[in-house]
Amino acid sequence: MKQLWAPWRLEYVSSADEIQGCVFCTAAAGDDEEGLVVHRGTEAFVLLNKFPYASGHVMVAPYRHVGELGDLTDEEALEVHRLISQGLAALAETYAPQGYNIGWNLGRIAGAGIVDHTHAHVVPRWAGDTNFMPVLADVKVLPEHIAETRRKLAAVWPG
Ligand SMILES: [Zn+2]
């Protein structure tokens, strides 16, 4: 039976302004399961969005706390792209989505929840799902718990 509610997203809606510190730096420094880290590269890493727009919504971020896309080193930029590609492979194997949106939300006006640690979003898409990057308060229906999503993606990650 599918869940018709997403408590972690509701939690975000009510506490988005109260989050302390940088979630990316915290996740990078901490435990994989706790931080929802799917894969760690040399310069960048992959984590699940704790407040996803779809099952399998991952984010790719440099380890370095850097806010400007243009401030990424060549090595960071390259690995972010490689990790995005690997993420597509892992998502394809796990969820067989029909398409993907890949993007960077730069600045709050563009939908970025965290503006000072740049990160790319990879959102799997299926026919009949919702629009990319809905507004913050728009609560989505998610069929699977996020810890299970992390485990599945980590298990099939290429390489
Ligand atoms: Zn950070």
Side-chain angles (χ1 to χ4, degrees), residues 22 24-25 65 117:
C22 173
F24 295 98
C25 290
H65 186 85
H117 193 141

Side-chain angles (χ1 to χ4, degrees), residues 43-129:
E43 306 289 336
F45 70 114
V46 183
L47 70 167
L48 282 173
N49 191 331
K50 195 176 179 184
F51 313 103
Y53 296 111
S55 290
H57 177 177
V58 299
M59 301 182 294
V60 182
Y63 288 120
R64 210 159 51 91
H65 186 85
V66 54
E68 297 294 328
L69 187 57
D71 288 344
L72 293 181
T73 65
D74 288 351
E75 291 74 19
E76 286 168 339
L78 179 62
E79 188 164 48
V80 165
H81 268 264
R82 285 206 173 119
L83 291 175
I84 289 171
S85 298
Q86 291 175 2
L88 298 182
L91 285 166
E93 185 169 342
T94 308
Y95 294 109
Q98 295 167 304
Y100 305 89
N101 286 107
I102 299 169
W104 304 75
N105 298 340
L106 304 179
R108 289 203 189 282
I109 194 69
I114 296 155
V115 295
D116 53 1
H117 193 141
T118 197
H119 55 280
H121 292 266
V122 179
V123 182
R125 300 296 308 271
W126 293 267
D129 67 9

